[in-house]
Amino acid sequence: METLPEIAKLHHRDDYVDIHLQVVSIDEVVYQNVEASNQNAFHGSAASGYQPSLERSLDGSSLRQILGNNEGVGFGSGNETESYPDGGREAWLVVLGSFVGVVFHFGLINSLGPIQTYISTHQLSDVAPSTIAWIFSIFLTTNFGFCLLGGTLFDYYGSRIPMSVGVVLTTGGLLGTANAQYVYQFILFFSLCTGLGLAFLQTPLFCLVAHWFSQKRALAAGLVTLGVSVGGVIIPLMLSSLYSSVGFTWAIRVLASLCFVTSGVSIWLTKERFRKTSNGVLATPEGQTQISKPLLYRFAGYINNVFDLKAFKNPRFTLCALGMAGAEVYLITAITYFSSYAMAQGVDEKAAYLMITVINASGVLGRSLPGILAYKFGAFNVIVGMLTAVTVCIFALWFPLGHNLSVLYTFAVLLGITSASVLSLAPVCLAQVTPIQSYGRCYAMVFFMVAMGNLVFIPLSGLLIGTGSKENYGHFVLFCGFLSALVTTWFCAARYYLVGGKISVRV
C-alpha cells in the first residue's frame, strides 16, 4: 500500500508534473498496475482480491480525506473505476459516427444566415426584421435549452433513444419548414420542432467520446468537433446552390433527407459504455438491472432531478461551466454579427458572407490541432492559451483595424482557429471535473445556460449595434472583447482550483 508521498511520486516525470485530474479514474491513477483487475471488479469479480472504492483507505486516510471533501459534481457516489479503451475499433467507430452527426447538426446551425436571408426576402418579405429574428432566437434557445432532456435520457438509457427521437423531430420539422409561409409556421416547425430535435441529438453526439476515451479524450473530441467546421462549410454552400437551382422548398427537403441519413449512420455506429442506474451508480448496458416500471413513468421521475443544483457547490465545476457557457455565447454572438459588421465597414455583401465561410473553414485546423496539443499539455492549459489569443486578437486587430479589408480577413482566419479550439476543448475540460455517470446531464445543464445566455446577449448586442453605425459596432466589438477576457478569467480560476498556482502542470 503506497503512502501519500509515494502516490505523489507517481505523477512526477523528470520534474514535469503530470496530473490526471479525472474524477472517474482516481483509482486508476493511484493503482496504475491494477487496470485489468478494475475491469473484472466492475463486473462483480473479486479477481486478485481487489475491490475498487472511492473510499478505499490509504494508510488510514481515505481518498476523500486526502483530496478534500468535494460535494456535488466533484465526486460521484458510484463505482467510477472503469478503465477506458482509449482506442480500438469500437471506440474509433463511435468517433466516426459522432463526427457524421455533428456535420449535419452544426452545419444547420451555421446555415441560419442563408435561411434567414432567403425567407426575409421571399416568404416573409413584408414582415419586420425584428419579428423574423425571433424565429432564430427561439430556435437557438430551444436547441441549447432542451439539451437537458436529451442529457437525462442519455445518462439513463444510452444514446439510441434520444438520438432516435431527435432524428424524427428534426426531419419532420424541416419537412414542415419547407412548406412554411407564415411566421407562426416557421416558429412551430423550425424553431420548436427542429430545434427540439437537434437538442436530443446534440448531447449524445458530444458526450459519447467521454465513455470511450480518457488519455486521448481531447484528441477524440477534437476529431468529433471537426464536423462543426466541415458542416459549416458544406451545408451553407449547398443551400445557396440549391436555392437558385431547385428553390427553397426542395432545398430544405434535401436538407431533411441529409438529416435522416447522417443521423441514421450516427445511431448505427455509436453506442454508450455506461448508464446511470436508479441508485446513481454506473452500470454497463448489458449488466444494468431491468426495472418493471414503464419507460415513460421512470423518465417522468428523472425529469424532477434534471437540475443537479448540488453540482454548483463544487467551484471547479461552477467555474468551468461558466467559462464553457460564456465562451459559447460570446463566440456565437461575434460570428452572428461579423458579416453585418463587415458590411458596415464598407465591405460588399458577397465578401461579407464569404468571411463566415472563411471562419468555418479555418475552424478545421482549430478543431484538429488543439486535440493533439491537449493530449501533450492538457486541455485546460491549451484552452486558456487559445482564449488569451482570441482576446488579444479582438483588442489588437478587430477593434482598432477592423475597417481594413485585409485585417478583417486575417482576423476571420484567427477567429475561426481560436474559436473552434475553444469550443472543441471546453467539453473536454468539463469532463475532467464531472463524474462520467452524470456527464450527459451536466453537459446539458451548461447548454441550458448557453440557451439563456443567447436569449439575453444576442438581443443585447443588437441594442449596442443600434442603427448600425461604425461607432456602435465599435462598442459591440469592445463588448465581445470584455466577455472574452471574463471567460478567460473563469477558466484560469477553474485551473487554479485544480492545481493551484503551478505552471508546468499537465491539466
Side-chain angles (χ1 to χ4, degrees), residues 137-147 190-199 451:
S137 177
I138 295 172
F139 169 82
L140 289 172
T141 301
T142 304
N143 178 29
F144 291 121
F146 281 89
C147 282
F190 186 73
S191 303
L192 297 178
C193 190
T194 304
L196 184 59
L198 290 177

Side-chain angles (χ1 to χ4, degrees), residues 333-346:
T333 302
I335 294 172
T336 297
Y337 288 103
F338 192 78
S339 57
S340 61
Y341 171 89
M343 292 172 65
Q345 306 302 316

Side-chain angles (χ1 to χ4, degrees), residues 81-112:
T81 55
E82 176 72 356
S83 59
Y84 294 80
D86 261 329
R89 179 176 177 274
E90 284 187 304
W92 291 115
L93 282 177
V94 169
V95 172
L96 176 61
S98 299
F99 169 83
V100 172
V102 167
V103 166
F104 166 77
H105 182 284
F106 273 92
L108 177 57
I109 292 178
N110 288 328
S111 300
L112 296 184

Side-chain angles (χ1 to χ4, degrees), residues 116 119-120 124 126-139 182-184 186-187 191:
Q116 188 272 342
I119 66 175
S120 63
L124 304 180
D126 58 342
V127 178
S130 59
T131 302
I132 297 174
W134 277 105
I135 297 172
F136 302 96
S137 177
I138 295 172
F139 169 82
Y182 303 101
V183 171
Y184 79 90
F186 281 104
I187 290 177
S191 303

Side-chain angles (χ1 to χ4, degrees), residues 148-150 152-153 156 296 298-307:
L148 281 167
L149 296 180
T152 302
L153 277 173
Y156 284 97
L296 291 178
R298 283 179 278 154
F299 180 66
Y302 299 145
I303 293 300
N304 294 327
N305 298 316
V306 160
F307 283 95

Side-chain angles (χ1 to χ4, degrees), residues 161-478:
I161 291 178
M163 291 181 73
S164 298
V165 172
V167 68
V168 171
L169 287 173
T170 304
T171 305
L174 288 174
L175 291 175
T177 302
N179 297 297
Q181 296 293 326
Y182 303 101
V183 171
Y184 79 90
Q185 293 175 335
F186 281 104
I187 290 177
L188 175 63
F189 291 115
F190 186 73
S191 303
L192 297 178
C193 190
T194 304
L196 184 59
L198 290 177
F200 278 104
L201 287 168
Q202 178 169 317
T203 302
L205 288 173
F206 283 102
C207 292
L208 276 166
V209 293
H211 283 213
W212 293 87
F213 294 89
S214 178
Q215 293 282 348
K216 298 180 181 178
R217 184 175 290 167
L219 176 61
L223 293 174
V224 170
T225 56
L226 191 63
V228 176
S229 298
V230 174
V233 173
I234 293 175
I235 293 183
L237 292 177
M238 180 193 78
L239 286 178
S240 298
S241 176
L242 289 174
Y243 286 160
S244 58
S245 59
V246 297
F248 178 84
T249 299
W250 275 104
I252 300 300
R253 287 173 180 171
V254 170
L255 187 62
S257 301
L258 183 63
C259 162
F260 187 80
V261 172
T262 56
S263 299
V265 171
S266 292
I267 293 172
W268 179 50
L269 290 176
T270 58
K271 66 176 181 179
E272 72 286 347
R273 293 182 65 239
F274 310 117
R275 292 180 188 173
K276 192 173 182 179
T277 61
S278 57
N279 59 358
V281 301
L282 288 177
T284 58
E286 295 79 5
Q288 188 171 1
T289 304
Q290 297 298 315
I291 305 174
S292 59
K293 294 180 182 179
L295 183 149
L296 291 178
Y297 182 88
R298 283 179 278 154
F299 180 66
Y302 299 145
I303 293 300
N304 294 327
N305 298 316
V306 160
F307 283 95
D308 182 12
L309 296 181
K310 291 188 295 184
F312 294 96
K313 292 181 179 179
N314 186 336
R316 292 176 297 181
F317 171 78
T318 301
L319 290 166
C320 188
L322 286 171
M324 183 175 172
E328 291 275 353
V329 169
Y330 95 82
L331 289 172
I332 288 174
T333 302
I335 294 172
T336 297
Y337 288 103
F338 192 78
S339 57
S340 61
Y341 171 89
M343 292 172 65
Q345 306 302 316
V347 178
D348 65 88
E349 184 175 347
K350 184 177 180 180
Y353 286 130
L354 180 60
M355 289 182 183
I356 301 299
T357 303
V358 170
I359 291 174
N360 290 325
S362 302
V364 174
L365 177 61
R367 294 182 187 278
S368 54
L369 182 60
I372 300 172
L373 294 176
Y375 178 62
K376 182 176 181 180
F377 300 107
F380 271 95
N381 291 335
V382 176
I383 200 171
V384 168
M386 290 295 176
L387 282 167
T388 303
V390 71
T391 305
V392 170
C393 287
I394 289 173
F395 286 112
L397 292 177
W398 195 12
F399 177 67
L401 303 172
H403 58 276
N404 186 292
L405 182 60
S406 299
V407 172
L408 268 183
Y409 273 112
T410 302
F411 178 75
V413 172
L414 295 174
L415 179 63
I417 294 173
T418 53
S419 64
S421 302
V422 170
L423 297 180
S424 64
L425 288 176
V428 179
C429 294
L430 187 70
Q432 290 188 217
V433 296
T434 305
I436 196 65
Q437 80 270 27
S438 298
Y439 181 50
R441 181 173 61 176
C442 291
Y443 178 90
M445 283 197 300
V446 171
F447 272 93
F448 183 82
M449 295 165 62
V450 173
M452 296 301 100
N454 282 327
L455 204 59
V456 173
F457 285 104
I458 289 182
L460 180 58
S461 297
L463 288 175
L464 286 174
I465 292 171
T467 58
S469 66
K470 291 185 178 180
E471 182 180 0
N472 287 349
Y473 269 109
H475 297 157
F476 166 71
V477 173
L478 286 176

